[in-house]
Amino acid sequence: MTAPVSQPQPLYRSPWVIGTAVVLVTIALAVTSVFVGAADLTPSDVLTGQLNEAQRSALFISRIPRTIAIVLSGSAMAVAGLVMQLVVRNRFVEPSTTGTTAGASAGILIVLLVNPGAPVIIKLIVSTIGALTVTAVFVVLIARIPARQSVLIPLVGIMTATVVEAGVTFVALRHNLLQSIGAWTTGNFAPIIAGRYELLFLVGLASLATWVTADRITIIGLGKDTATNLGVSYRATLI
């Protein structure tokens, strides 16, 4: 009896081919995005350097920062979502079911109450701290849930997010800030200009660091006992 002969994998299914195709499509879409908008700007104008003052301002103050912000935000959200699902070992987990979005809203609310005229960078930093704080509370809570009861993980996240959102809504209503909170938590890249997106470069570095440590994150997704047996510090990697 002869052993079955394995069929060679088609080239189009190769991870390298798929990855290269995704990168090329992303670059093409990013370049196309630079030339989409109300201002009249064409690739020939950029290649020949024949740009007037209005076109130059539209390109370097609005279009390029907007495109960079979209790429950094999209890649970071994808990486962060995958990491969270690996860490808690549940595919139903996402920012709204872990309290991350609610924590960001709470951070924005605090800034609007304490110092409404604070720079955008300060608002983003406080919002990030709020998101990380509530997410950390969620991680601490689910650490006490047995692994076999994975259905409880998104329920705990939803309850945590609901409690925080209720508090944010109550305070925002009392101070007439509900509309401002909604504006900050709605994804809109139209107002992105130079000077209002640079903090996202830190997010890009965080995504790169996550890629470098992807093997350790994957291992802790297998559970504390497995990670410990493989020589990975579960608690340090989780933090």
Side-chain angles (χ1 to χ4, degrees), residues 70-214:
I70 292 173
V71 172
L72 290 176
S73 299
S75 59
M77 290 173 66
V79 171
L82 178 59
V83 168
M84 179 60 72
Q85 291 179 357
L86 282 174
V87 168
V88 303
R89 288 179 287 174
N90 192 290
R91 294 185 179 272
F92 294 101
V93 169
E94 48 97 14
S96 65
T97 59
T98 60
T100 304
T101 305
S105 300
I108 288 294
L109 178 61
I110 292 173
V111 177
L112 293 178
L113 290 173
V114 176
N115 186 10
V120 175
I121 295 297
I122 299 299
K123 293 178 180 178
L124 294 179
I125 291 175
V126 177
S127 177
T128 302
I129 294 174
L132 291 175
T133 301
V134 178
T135 305
V137 172
F138 165 75
V139 173
V140 171
L141 291 176
I142 66 171
R144 303 177 182 275
I145 299 177
R148 62 180 181 276
Q149 297 182 356
S150 59
V151 69
L152 294 179
I153 293 177
L155 294 179
V156 171
I158 292 173
M159 289 188 294
T160 304
T162 302
V163 171
V164 177
E165 288 174 356
V168 170
T169 302
F170 175 77
V171 177
L173 280 173
R174 294 291 299 272
H175 293 83
N176 197 26
L177 293 173
L178 192 60
Q179 187 174 0
S180 298
I181 296 296
W184 274 98
T185 55
T186 301
N188 182 15
F189 290 92
I192 294 296
I193 59 175
R196 301 189 62 174
Y197 79 102
E198 284 76 6
L199 191 64
L200 288 175
F201 284 111
L202 297 179
V203 177
L205 292 177
S207 300
L208 180 61
T210 304
W211 179 75
V212 172
T213 59

Side-chain angles (χ1 to χ4, degrees), residues 20-102:
T20 302
V22 170
V23 171
L24 292 177
V25 171
T26 302
I27 293 175
L29 292 175
V31 173
T32 303
S33 174
V34 173
F35 301 99
V36 175
D40 185 14
L41 189 64
T42 62
S44 60
D45 295 333
V46 177
L47 293 177
T48 58
Q50 298 177 354
L51 298 174
N52 55 39
E53 188 62 29
Q55 290 176 323
R56 190 175 293 104
S57 298
L59 180 63
F60 293 103
I61 296 179
S62 176
R63 300 287 180 82
I64 292 179
R66 179 192 65 185
T67 302
I68 294 175
I70 292 173
V71 172
L72 290 176
S73 299
S75 59
M77 290 173 66
V79 171
L82 178 59
V83 168
M84 179 60 72
Q85 291 179 357
L86 282 174
V87 168
V88 303
R89 288 179 287 174
N90 192 290
R91 294 185 179 272
F92 294 101
V93 169
E94 48 97 14
S96 65
T97 59
T98 60
T100 304
T101 305

